[in-house]
């Protein structure tokens, strides 16, 4: 096999259509993935990584391909890849400078420096990869690609020309004669440089540290007209060397290898994510490489959490609550109920984030996870009514949920969050049961946040999850989501306690 890229595998079972998405997936805002991806990619804006995070993989082999690459980077290659990226960035800076400079020989000298940096970084990267003893197919193939490239006639020729030219240019010596406004560039003669001897003679008169009265001049990168004419004079003295420099720049306008340039961008997909989760890991929260299935819908995750919320809480030095979930046998949909502000929506977002990140081949929040490979993730969260629309809020919700049900397949994931709140309880129950019938019939996976208890025990495919409260003070939320039957009493009791309407409070008031 040959190396085709560090983001996609190249065997027959890997993704054949590697079209990169440019539009943000519809589920991103509801799941707070837009916040996560922006925070990941913003520090590396020059690489334009966002489309890579929009593109969900549809092949388990592709996912495993990325997981192994990520493990190589985390285990041994993070710093070597970081150095490689820094050197590539430095090379690009020299190329930009060479285009901005006005004078020809300064442009060409800067271009030569960029090529020199490139040759060095390629050799260094190959050495780092071979010494690291990489295990992933991606890096093994890339290392082999680099080995062949280093032995290619094009690179050997480039390296030799750069080395020879740099040596020749560094060997140039010349003398400047200044007479009034006349500046003359001539060959150096055998005149002795007395500078060091003078410093030695006067060193005995030095009395400790003295004030430096030397005037500091600014040294702009671009040459002025006088400096350019001096350089032209030097070129006139050494026409052979500067002629070779001209030929080099004409011969190698694009000296770099396109595959290596693409690798430089694509590998930042992994580096950016590692950088993003580093401080979260340092806080004690765990990440894991999930097992992925495209057929078995028995899934679970332990000690998982909302990545966007965790990032915020860790930066605020606040504790992050972790949760577990599992679906077994015929179970397909988790119905989450309980008091408001108890972590239900956060749990639903966590479920969606886990599956999306897993389908990018990235480690996911949690100690352990086994997840499903969806063809698409659909979300339906409550939105503000559009006053410009002629439809009412309920009608808009029905249109949106109808679209989801029409597009969803048995391999999809659907996440619903407190829908139909704009209508009566009777209508909510009726509509919710109809939608649940459709979801169960589709045999898809999902999470449904609701306060309608009847949905939680609708069928054997539904699993009741409840946001827990403190046992001693049931008005306090623990943000733990527990697998247990929904009864609505927890929320009712917390409201009753809040307004002092429990049996004990009422009895005390009546006895006064």
């Amino acid at each position: 096999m040959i190396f085709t890229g560090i983001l996609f595998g190249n065997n027959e079972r890997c993704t054949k259509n590697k079209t990169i998405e440019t539009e943000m997936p519809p589920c991103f805002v509801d799941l707070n993935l837009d916040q996560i991806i922006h925070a990941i990619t913003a520090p590396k804006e020059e690489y334009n990584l966002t489309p890579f995070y929009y593109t969900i993989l549809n092949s388990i082999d592709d996912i495993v391909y990325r997981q192994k690459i990520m493990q190589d980077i985390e285990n041994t290659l993070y710093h070597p890849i970081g150095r490689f990226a820094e050197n590539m960035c430095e090379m690009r800076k020299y190329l930009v400078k060479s285009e901005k400079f006005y004078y020809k020989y300064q442009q060409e000298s800067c271009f030569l420096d960029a090529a020199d940096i490139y040759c060095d970084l390629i050799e260094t990267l190959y050495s780092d990869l071979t010494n690291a003893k990489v295990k992933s197919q991606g890096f093994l193939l890339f290392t082999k690609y680099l080995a062949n490239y280093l032995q290619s006639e094009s690179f050997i020729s480039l390296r030799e020309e750069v080395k020879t030219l740099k040596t020749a240019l560094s060997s140039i010596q010349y003398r400047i004669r200044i007479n009034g406004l006349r500046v003359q560039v001539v060959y150096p003669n055998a005149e002795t440089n007395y500078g060091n001897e003078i410093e030695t003679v006067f060193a005995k008169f030095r009395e400790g540290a003295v004030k430096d009265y030397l005037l500091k001049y600014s040294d702009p990168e671009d040459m002025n007209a006088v400096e350019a004419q001096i350089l032209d004079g030097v070129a006139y003295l050494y026409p052979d060397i500067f002629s070779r420099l001209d030929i080099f720049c004409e011969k190698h306008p694009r000296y770099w290898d396109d595959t290596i340039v693409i690798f430089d961008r694509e590998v930042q997909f992994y580096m950016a994510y590692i950088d993003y989760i580093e401080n979260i890991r340092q806080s004690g929260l765990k990440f894991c490489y999930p097992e992925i299935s495209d057929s078995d819908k028995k899934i679970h995750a332990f000690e998982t959490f909302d990545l966007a919320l965790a990032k915020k809480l860790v930066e605020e030095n606040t504790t992050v609550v972790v949760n577990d979930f599992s679906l077994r046998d015929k179970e397909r949909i988790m119905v989450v109920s309980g008091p408001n502000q108890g972590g239900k929506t956060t749990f639903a977002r966590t479920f969606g984030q886990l599956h999306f990140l897993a389908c990018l081949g990235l480690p996911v929040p949690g100690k352990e996870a086994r997840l499903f490979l969806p063809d698409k993730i659909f979300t339906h969260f409550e939105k503000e009514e559009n006053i410009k629309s002629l439809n009412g809020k309920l009608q808009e919700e029905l249109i949106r949920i109808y679209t989801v049900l029409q597009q969803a397949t048995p391999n999809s994931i659907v996440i619903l969050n407190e829908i139909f709140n704009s209508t009566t309880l009777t209508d909510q129950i009726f509509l919710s049961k109809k939608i649940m019938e459709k979801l169960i019939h589709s045999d898809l996976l999902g999470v449904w946040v609701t306060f309608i208890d009847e949905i939680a025990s609708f069928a054997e495919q539904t699993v009741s999850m409840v946001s827990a409260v403190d046992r001693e003070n049931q008005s306090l939320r623990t943000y733990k989501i527990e697998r247990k039957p929904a009864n609505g009493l927890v929320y009712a009791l917390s409201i009753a306690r809040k307004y002092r309407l429990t049996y004990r409070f009422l009895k005390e008031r009546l006895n006064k």
Side-chain angles (χ1 to χ4, degrees), residues 471-486:
R471 292 184 179 181
E472 301 298 327
N473 184 356
Q474 295 191 4
S475 64
L476 295 179
R477 316 297 193 246
T478 66
Y479 306 109
K480 297 290 289 186
I481 307 299
E482 300 175 349
R483 184 181 176 120
K484 64 181 182 180

Side-chain angles (χ1 to χ4, degrees), residues 63-73 136-137:
I63 292 173
V64 173
Y65 181 80
R66 286 191 184 178
Q67 288 181 343
K68 299 299 183 183
I69 288 168
M70 178 68 90
Q71 289 171 341
D72 267 346
I73 295 176
S136 65
Q137 183 190 69

Side-chain angles (χ1 to χ4, degrees), residues 26 297 333 372-380 399-416 435-447:
K297 296 182 179 180
I333 299 173
F372 184 71
L373 175 64
D375 55 7
K376 198 167 184 179
I377 298 176
F378 296 93
T379 59
H380 187 292
I399 292 172
R400 288 171 54 214
I401 194 64
Y402 175 79
T403 302
V404 169
L405 294 175
Q406 286 292 104
Q407 296 179 2
T409 72
N411 292 326
S412 299
I413 285 177
V414 174
I415 300 173
L416 308 178
I435 291 172
M436 183 61 82
E437 288 177 359
K438 292 285 187 181
L439 296 177
I440 291 175
H441 179 73
S442 297
D443 194 42
L444 51 74
L445 296 177
V447 174

Side-chain angles (χ1 to χ4, degrees), residues 8-63:
F8 298 95
N10 61 357
N11 63 49
E12 294 180 356
R13 293 180 296 175
C14 289
T15 305
K16 294 183 179 179
N17 181 12
K18 300 174 184 177
T19 303
I20 303 299
E21 298 291 339
T22 56
E23 298 294 330
M24 183 173 69
C27 67
F28 261 42
V29 174
D30 287 340
L31 299 179
N32 284 345
L33 281 166
D34 58 330
Q35 300 175 25
I36 295 171
I37 302 309
H38 174 74
I40 291 172
T41 59
K44 297 180 181 291
E45 186 177 1
E46 64 177 302
Y47 293 102
N48 187 27
L49 299 175
T50 304
F52 296 150
Y53 286 94
Y54 288 170
T55 307
I56 194 170
L57 301 178
N58 54 24
S59 161
I60 291 180
D61 280 19
D62 265 335
I63 292 173

